[in-house]
Every structure is written in structure tokens, then in C-alpha cells.
Amino acid sequence: MNVVVIGAQWGDEGKGKIVDYLACDAQIIVRFSGGANAGHTIVHGTEQYALHLVPSGILYPGKTVVLGSGMVIDPSSLFDELAMLEARGVDWKGRVLISDRAHLVLPRYRSVDKDLEARRRKPIGTTGRGIGVAYAMKASRDGVRLADIDDPARLENLEPEDRSYLDGIRDRLIEMRVDLVPFLARHRNKYVLFEGAQGALLDIDTGTYPYVSSGMSCAAGASAQGGIGPRDIDRVLGVFKAYTTRVGNGPFPTEFNPDEQGALCSFIRDTGREYGVTTGRPRRCGYLDLVALRYACAANSIDGLVLTHLDVYDTLDEFQACVAYRIRGRLVDDFPGSVRDLEEAEPVLHAFRGWKKTLGAVRTYDELPLEARDYVSFIEEFTQTQVTIVSVGYERNQTMLREGPWIRS
């Protein structure tokens, strides 16, 4: 059975924790997109792990994790991450595989990436890690895949510094190389968890272009880049926060106004630890955008929502969520494709009562305060999608499973 987990907002929704939680029952975890620009944080007891390339299921002994075909992999970052895991007692050898169709991020791509960003009239806000350059090289058919690194004919086309770099790491990469499609075909009867990166609203085709990632962060990416066909996806889970955040530039209709809501923004940012795992940048914060969430559900066939960070609202008397936009005087209840429309959109907000109780110790959904359950019910009705998992903290046991993921819809 194949279950896909994606972010249903602009990334940073808590996918790492949820994949780690669900990986308990999976045998194989495949991350299908993104690169070292993504950061997934996992808290296990007193230990905290920041993963950028290695799939989140690696902390479970005996699980196989795969860096999929849609990823762009910086080998130096990968080796650093594996060394960190080994130093902290995680036995990863023989359990970390890389699709031979994944592309590599070569060292000089970083400077090219930063130069391109500096020359943009309207910067996108990239991490400068060469991710976009690797994807651009892939699209122009000038990229380097793992399958190519021992092919002399392909290597002839590379710059001398690129060839020299690959000469020093080739053997280590080949040890982890796998042909992903037949590998998963041989394991078709196992539970396979597909982990996305970034979020649905950052997808290159369905996100807020051009302020998007360079890869596929939509659910369809699990099929296109994860080694299975589209009819083999059994379930799609979309992770979202009780509020909304965004990193980098781009439209954000519900973003808090610093003049009027600066204190609220600081509270949400500090309480929710809203600082980038990869960059440390403070995240932009705002109320939950239900219009955008409903769009993400429809565009990705999400059949189960995963609500995280609900506990961040514990002390508020009242909070709000966006249920429509007002764009140049016109009421709009669908998520526009036009960046200009989104930049000019004023959120139409619906108010909710706070629960004024600490949720971190709650372990079952029925124990949640009525106000919290009313908020969940409103989200479900608005998006026409069930909230199947609720998270109220960073620990694995601070997770309420309302419906198990390993059932076919």
C-alpha cells in the first residue's frame, strides 16, 4: 500500500514529525522531491534531529529510506547529514538508498544560484543552495544524474571542476544507488510512505508562481518522481498548521499586519518556533487561509488532512481564519492563479473562540476542548475533507490518530 504525505500550505507544516510518526508501520519511506533547501525537524525524547535530505523514517531501526528520482541531491550535504546520524547512534548503512535517476547538485551551482537571485528585479527568496540551478539544468537536459556518474560519455560534457568533484565521491554514491521502479515493484506488497518536501502552494505548476520551488511538491510528484504509477497511490495526506506561515517572498493574503498585529505575529512565531530549519530565517505568519487549503485539497486529491500546531493557540481568547478574499472590491472564494490578485487580496475573516486550556497533555480527540473540536469541524466542512490526525506538540505521543492511514479510500 502506498501513502503520500505532502504539505498543504507553503511548507514548514510539520511533515517531518508526521512522516516520522507514520513510519512506525511503514517498511519503506521514499522522499520524492526537493533538495537540501528543505528542513524536517523530528523530536524523539530529548533528542532533536534536523534532516534536510534523508527521509524522516531513518530514525526507526530496520526501515529502508530512499531519496527519490525527483530529488536534487547535494552529495556533500548528504554525507554531512549521514555523518551526523552516525555520530548520534543511528545505524544508516545499507538502509539509505538513492534513485539512479535523481540529479546531483554540484558545488559551483551555489554561486550560480546566488548570482541569479541577486540579479532578479524581484527576488524570489531562495536559500541559495543551488537547488533551482540543478532543476534548471535538469530541464535543459544538461544535468547530472546518479546513473551518469560512471558513464565516461556523459562526464565528457562536464566542466573540469565538476568531473574532479565527482571523482572524489563516486564510489560512495554508487554504493547507495538503486533503480527505483523495479525496486518498488519487488516490494509492492509492503507499506510504502512517500514524503514530499515544501508544500502544495510552492509546487512549480500549481503553486504561487513564480514564488515557488523548482520541483514538484504536489501529490502527483509521488508518482512522477517516486517510482510508482498514478493508479498505485492509495491515500494522500495533507499536513497543515492551525495558522499559516511562509518563508521568502510571494503573496500571503492572511499575513499579520506588523503595525496592527505585530505582537500576535511575534507570539505565534516564538510559540510555534517559526524559524527556518535550513536557514534560521524567521517565518512570515498569518491566520489559517481556508480558501488556499481547500484549493490544495482539490488540486492534490487530499483525502485526509493532518492538523499540526493546534496547541499554539492555547492561550488566545479568540483567533480567526480566512474564508474568502476581497479583491479590488469583488468577493472571491476560490484561490486565484494570478499573483497580482493574491497580492491585492484582503482576507475575509471568521472568528473562533479560544479554549484557554493546555492541549499538550491531551491524547485522544474526544478529550480536546469543545472550542478546539468546533474549529476542526469548521475546517472539515469548509474543505470537505476529514481531519484524520491532530498534533498538539513535537513529541510522537502528542499525536491523535482519528483514522489510520493504512486503509484504502
Side-chain angles (χ1 to χ4, degrees):
M1 183 175 180
N2 300 313
V3 173
V4 178
V5 178
I6 64 166
Q9 295 168 310
W10 280 290
D12 309 307
E13 302 94 348
K15 295 181 296 298
K17 177 205 167 166
I18 299 306
V19 171
D20 172 72
Y21 176 79
L22 297 177
C24 176
D25 296 316
Q27 285 90 37
I28 300 170
I29 300 91
V30 180
R31 181 168 151 196
F32 59 85
S33 67
N37 56 336
H40 294 170
T41 302
I42 301 169
V43 177
H44 186 200
T46 60
E47 295 286 320
Q48 179 169 307
Y49 299 82
L51 301 176
H52 303 278
L53 287 165
V54 179
S56 301
I58 190 62
L59 299 185
Y60 286 97
K63 310 291 182 182
T64 298
V65 303
V66 186
L67 284 70
S69 304
M71 291 189 68
V72 288
I73 299 163
D74 181 334
S76 299
S77 296
L78 175 61
F79 296 147
D80 287 346
E81 197 165 309
L82 294 174
M84 176 274 294
L85 289 169
E86 188 168 352
R88 297 178 68 175
V90 178
D91 182 11
W92 62 268
K93 292 181 179 176
R95 299 198 295 123
V96 177
L97 304 176
I98 309 173
S99 168
D100 62 1
R101 289 167 171 81
H103 280 246
L104 300 182
V105 179
L106 301 178
R108 65 182 178 87
Y109 292 4
R110 290 183 178 231
S111 58
V112 174
D113 195 357
K114 292 173 182 176
D115 183 59
L116 286 171
E117 180 74 350
R119 288 192 282 111
R120 286 190 175 101
R121 294 182 64 183
K122 283 192 173 183
I124 294 172
T126 73
T127 60
R129 293 173 180 265
I131 307 302
V133 175
Y135 277 119
M137 297 284 280
K138 174 181 176 178
S140 66
R141 291 156 291 184
D142 295 311
V144 181
R145 304 176 306 160
L146 195 55
D148 304 327
I149 63 173
D150 52 357
D151 179 353
R154 288 289 298 143
L155 297 177
E156 279 181 1
N157 298 323
L158 300 183
E159 299 288 336
E161 64 181 288
D162 295 339
R163 289 200 300 271
S164 177
Y165 174 72
L166 291 173
D167 286 342
I169 62 172
R170 180 178 293 105
D171 292 343
R172 294 182 68 185
L173 289 173
I174 288 174
E175 286 178 356
M176 294 181 276
R177 190 167 64 182
V178 66
D179 190 346
L180 187 54
V181 172
F183 173 80
L184 289 180
R186 290 194 298 271
H187 296 89
R188 63 169 53 90
N189 294 324
K190 292 188 175 179
Y191 284 176
V192 183
L193 193 61
F194 291 85
E195 175 184 14
Q198 285 85 42
L201 301 181
L202 290 174
D203 181 77
I204 186 72
D205 291 309
T206 58
T208 51
Y209 188 89
Y211 301 99
V212 292
S213 181
S214 300
M216 296 181 72
S217 51
C218 60
S223 168
Q225 304 180 332
I228 59 171
R231 293 175 64 184
D232 289 327
I233 295 176
D234 296 293
R235 196 164 179 81
V236 179
L237 302 180
V239 186
F240 73 106
K241 284 188 281 210
Y243 47 94
T244 307
T245 63
R246 179 163 196 166
V247 172
N249 300 327
F252 187 176
T254 65
E255 184 171 14
F256 293 134
N257 184 315
D259 295 328
E260 300 174 6
Q261 300 166 302
L264 177 60
C265 181
S266 296
F267 170 79
I268 296 294
R269 182 178 289 145
D270 293 339
T271 306
R273 305 185 201 177
E274 297 300 346
Y275 297 88
V277 177
T278 301
T279 64
R281 289 185 292 184
R283 295 172 185 146
R284 300 159 63 190
C285 299
Y287 283 128
L288 176 62
D289 189 334
L290 285 168
V291 180
L293 183 61
R294 181 171 60 191
Y295 165 78
C297 288
N300 293 277
S301 298
I302 293 173
D303 42 26
L305 284 167
V306 180
L307 171 58
T308 66
H309 291 244
L310 186 60
D311 54 300
V312 172
Y313 277 164
D314 281 355
T315 61
L316 298 186
D317 294 314
E318 181 183 279
F319 58 91
Q320 300 180 81
C322 173
V323 295
Y325 306 132
R326 195 170 298 281
I327 303 175
R328 297 185 288 277
R330 181 170 57 94
L331 194 66
V332 175
D333 57 11
D334 288 321
F335 191 71
S338 164
V339 168
R340 180 182 171 226
D341 284 349
L342 284 169
E343 287 173 340
E344 297 184 15
E346 300 173 9
V348 177
L349 299 171
H350 179 89
F352 297 86
R353 286 189 303 157
W355 39 87
K356 306 289 287 183
K357 294 180 182 178
T358 301
L359 302 186
V362 176
R363 293 295 177 266
T364 67
Y365 182 77
D366 290 339
E367 293 174 5
L368 286 173
L370 176 61
E371 294 84 358
R373 285 182 279 127
D374 284 346
Y375 185 42
V376 174
S377 296
F378 189 93
I379 293 168
E380 291 180 321
E381 183 175 352
F382 191 94
T383 62
Q384 293 296 291
T385 308
Q386 184 182 2
V387 175
T388 59
I389 300 175
V390 177
S391 170
V392 291
Y394 295 92
E395 296 282 354
R396 286 174 181 166
N397 63 2
Q398 292 178 301
T399 313
M400 304 166 210
L401 190 64
R402 301 180 69 198
E403 180 179 285
W406 301 107
I407 54 173
R408 288 180 169 83
S409 299

Short mmCIF file of all heavy atoms in Angstrom, two decimals, residues 307 310 314 319 353-355 359 365 368-379:
data_model
loop_
_atom_site.label_atom_id
_atom_site.label_comp_id
_atom_site.label_asym_id
_atom_site.label_seq_id
_atom_site.Cartn_x
_atom_site.Cartn_y
_atom_site.Cartn_z
N LEU A 307 -3.70 18.09 10.99
CA LEU A 307 -3.63 19.40 11.62
C LEU A 307 -2.52 19.40 12.67
O LEU A 307 -2.53 18.59 13.60
CB LEU A 307 -4.97 19.74 12.27
CG LEU A 307 -5.05 20.97 13.17
CD1 LEU A 307 -4.64 22.23 12.43
CD2 LEU A 307 -6.46 21.11 13.74
N LEU A 310 -1.81 22.89 16.75
CA LEU A 310 -3.07 23.38 17.33
C LEU A 310 -2.84 23.98 18.71
O LEU A 310 -3.53 24.91 19.12
CB LEU A 310 -4.08 22.22 17.41
CG LEU A 310 -5.49 22.56 17.87
CD1 LEU A 310 -6.15 23.57 16.93
CD2 LEU A 310 -6.35 21.30 17.96
N ASP A 314 -3.35 27.90 22.39
CA ASP A 314 -3.88 27.56 23.72
C ASP A 314 -4.26 28.76 24.58
O ASP A 314 -5.24 28.69 25.33
CB ASP A 314 -2.85 26.73 24.51
CG ASP A 314 -2.81 25.27 24.09
OD1 ASP A 314 -3.64 24.87 23.25
OD2 ASP A 314 -1.95 24.53 24.60
N PHE A 319 -9.34 33.82 17.91
CA PHE A 319 -8.49 33.84 16.74
C PHE A 319 -9.39 33.78 15.51
O PHE A 319 -10.61 33.62 15.63
CB PHE A 319 -7.48 32.67 16.76
CG PHE A 319 -8.12 31.33 16.83
CD1 PHE A 319 -8.43 30.62 15.69
CD2 PHE A 319 -8.42 30.75 18.07
CE1 PHE A 319 -9.03 29.37 15.74
CE2 PHE A 319 -9.01 29.49 18.14
CZ PHE A 319 -9.32 28.81 16.99
N ARG A 353 -13.73 31.15 19.01
CA ARG A 353 -13.40 31.30 20.42
C ARG A 353 -12.21 30.41 20.78
O ARG A 353 -12.10 29.29 20.31
CB ARG A 353 -14.58 30.89 21.31
CG ARG A 353 -15.73 31.91 21.34
CD ARG A 353 -16.72 31.52 22.41
NE ARG A 353 -17.22 30.15 22.20
CZ ARG A 353 -17.74 29.39 23.16
NH1 ARG A 353 -17.78 29.84 24.41
NH2 ARG A 353 -18.20 28.20 22.89
N GLY A 354 -11.31 30.94 21.60
CA GLY A 354 -10.20 30.14 22.09
C GLY A 354 -10.66 29.19 23.18
O GLY A 354 -11.76 29.31 23.73
N TRP A 355 -9.80 28.23 23.54
CA TRP A 355 -10.18 27.22 24.53
C TRP A 355 -9.51 27.45 25.88
O TRP A 355 -9.94 26.88 26.88
CB TRP A 355 -9.85 25.82 24.02
CG TRP A 355 -8.57 25.70 23.27
CD1 TRP A 355 -7.32 25.48 23.75
CD2 TRP A 355 -8.42 25.83 21.85
NE1 TRP A 355 -6.39 25.45 22.74
CE2 TRP A 355 -7.04 25.65 21.55
CE3 TRP A 355 -9.30 26.06 20.79
CZ2 TRP A 355 -6.52 25.70 20.25
CZ3 TRP A 355 -8.79 26.12 19.50
CH2 TRP A 355 -7.42 25.95 19.25
N LEU A 359 -3.17 21.99 25.60
CA LEU A 359 -3.50 20.78 24.85
C LEU A 359 -2.38 19.74 24.82
O LEU A 359 -2.61 18.60 24.43
CB LEU A 359 -3.86 21.14 23.40
CG LEU A 359 -5.02 22.11 23.18
CD1 LEU A 359 -5.31 22.22 21.68
CD2 LEU A 359 -6.26 21.66 23.93
N TYR A 365 -8.80 12.55 20.73
CA TYR A 365 -9.52 13.66 20.12
C TYR A 365 -10.72 14.09 20.96
O TYR A 365 -10.98 15.29 21.11
CB TYR A 365 -9.99 13.27 18.72
CG TYR A 365 -10.69 14.39 17.99
CD1 TYR A 365 -9.96 15.42 17.42
CD2 TYR A 365 -12.08 14.41 17.89
CE1 TYR A 365 -10.60 16.46 16.76
CE2 TYR A 365 -12.73 15.45 17.23
CZ TYR A 365 -11.98 16.48 16.67
OH TYR A 365 -12.62 17.51 16.03
N LEU A 368 -10.25 16.76 23.61
CA LEU A 368 -10.00 18.15 23.25
C LEU A 368 -11.16 19.04 23.72
O LEU A 368 -12.32 18.61 23.72
CB LEU A 368 -9.84 18.30 21.74
CG LEU A 368 -8.55 17.81 21.10
CD1 LEU A 368 -8.66 17.89 19.58
CD2 LEU A 368 -7.35 18.62 21.58
N PRO A 369 -10.89 20.28 24.10
CA PRO A 369 -11.97 21.20 24.46
C PRO A 369 -12.95 21.37 23.30
O PRO A 369 -12.57 21.25 22.13
CB PRO A 369 -11.24 22.51 24.76
CG PRO A 369 -9.83 22.12 25.05
CD PRO A 369 -9.56 20.90 24.24
N LEU A 370 -14.20 21.68 23.63
CA LEU A 370 -15.23 21.82 22.61
C LEU A 370 -14.84 22.87 21.57
O LEU A 370 -15.06 22.68 20.37
CB LEU A 370 -16.55 22.23 23.27
CG LEU A 370 -17.72 22.52 22.32
CD1 LEU A 370 -18.08 21.28 21.50
CD2 LEU A 370 -18.94 23.03 23.11
N GLU A 371 -14.23 23.96 22.02
CA GLU A 371 -13.85 25.03 21.08
C GLU A 371 -12.82 24.54 20.06
O GLU A 371 -12.87 24.92 18.89
CB GLU A 371 -13.29 26.23 21.85
CG GLU A 371 -14.29 26.94 22.75
CD GLU A 371 -14.43 26.28 24.11
OE1 GLU A 371 -13.78 25.23 24.35
OE2 GLU A 371 -15.18 26.81 24.95
N ALA A 372 -11.91 23.70 20.49
CA ALA A 372 -10.91 23.16 19.57
C ALA A 372 -11.57 22.21 18.57
O ALA A 372 -11.26 22.22 17.37
CB ALA A 372 -9.81 22.44 20.34
N ARG A 373 -12.50 21.39 19.05
CA ARG A 373 -13.20 20.46 18.15
C ARG A 373 -14.11 21.22 17.19
O ARG A 373 -14.28 20.82 16.03
CB ARG A 373 -13.98 19.44 18.97
CG ARG A 373 -13.08 18.38 19.60
CD ARG A 373 -13.85 17.32 20.36
NE ARG A 373 -14.20 17.80 21.69
CZ ARG A 373 -15.42 17.81 22.20
NH1 ARG A 373 -16.46 17.39 21.46
NH2 ARG A 373 -15.65 18.25 23.42
N ASP A 374 -14.68 22.34 17.65
CA ASP A 374 -15.51 23.16 16.75
C ASP A 374 -14.64 23.74 15.61
O ASP A 374 -15.09 23.81 14.45
CB ASP A 374 -16.15 24.31 17.53
CG ASP A 374 -17.33 23.86 18.38
OD1 ASP A 374 -17.83 22.73 18.16
OD2 ASP A 374 -17.76 24.63 19.25
N TYR A 375 -13.43 24.13 15.94
CA TYR A 375 -12.51 24.65 14.92
C TYR A 375 -12.20 23.57 13.89
O TYR A 375 -12.25 23.82 12.68
CB TYR A 375 -11.23 25.13 15.61
CG TYR A 375 -10.23 25.82 14.70
CD1 TYR A 375 -10.63 26.74 13.74
CD2 TYR A 375 -8.86 25.57 14.85
CE1 TYR A 375 -9.69 27.39 12.93
CE2 TYR A 375 -7.92 26.21 14.04
CZ TYR A 375 -8.35 27.12 13.09
OH TYR A 375 -7.43 27.76 12.29
N VAL A 376 -11.93 22.36 14.35
CA VAL A 376 -11.65 21.25 13.45
C VAL A 376 -12.86 20.96 12.56
O VAL A 376 -12.74 20.76 11.35
CB VAL A 376 -11.22 20.00 14.23
CG1 VAL A 376 -11.08 18.79 13.29
CG2 VAL A 376 -9.92 20.25 14.98
N SER A 377 -14.04 20.95 13.16
CA SER A 377 -15.26 20.67 12.39
C SER A 377 -15.50 21.72 11.31
O SER A 377 -15.93 21.40 10.19
CB SER A 377 -16.48 20.61 13.33
OG SER A 377 -16.36 19.53 14.23
N PHE A 378 -15.21 22.97 11.63
CA PHE A 378 -15.38 24.05 10.65
C PHE A 378 -14.43 23.83 9.48
O PHE A 378 -14.82 23.99 8.31
CB PHE A 378 -15.13 25.40 11.32
CG PHE A 378 -15.49 26.58 10.45
CD1 PHE A 378 -16.74 27.17 10.53
CD2 PHE A 378 -14.58 27.10 9.53
CE1 PHE A 378 -17.08 28.25 9.73
CE2 PHE A 378 -14.91 28.17 8.72
CZ PHE A 378 -16.17 28.75 8.82
N ILE A 379 -13.19 23.48 9.78
CA ILE A 379 -12.20 23.22 8.72
C ILE A 379 -12.66 22.08 7.83
O ILE A 379 -12.59 22.16 6.60
CB ILE A 379 -10.83 22.90 9.35
CG1 ILE A 379 -10.27 24.13 10.06
CG2 ILE A 379 -9.85 22.38 8.29
CD1 ILE A 379 -9.07 23.85 10.93
#
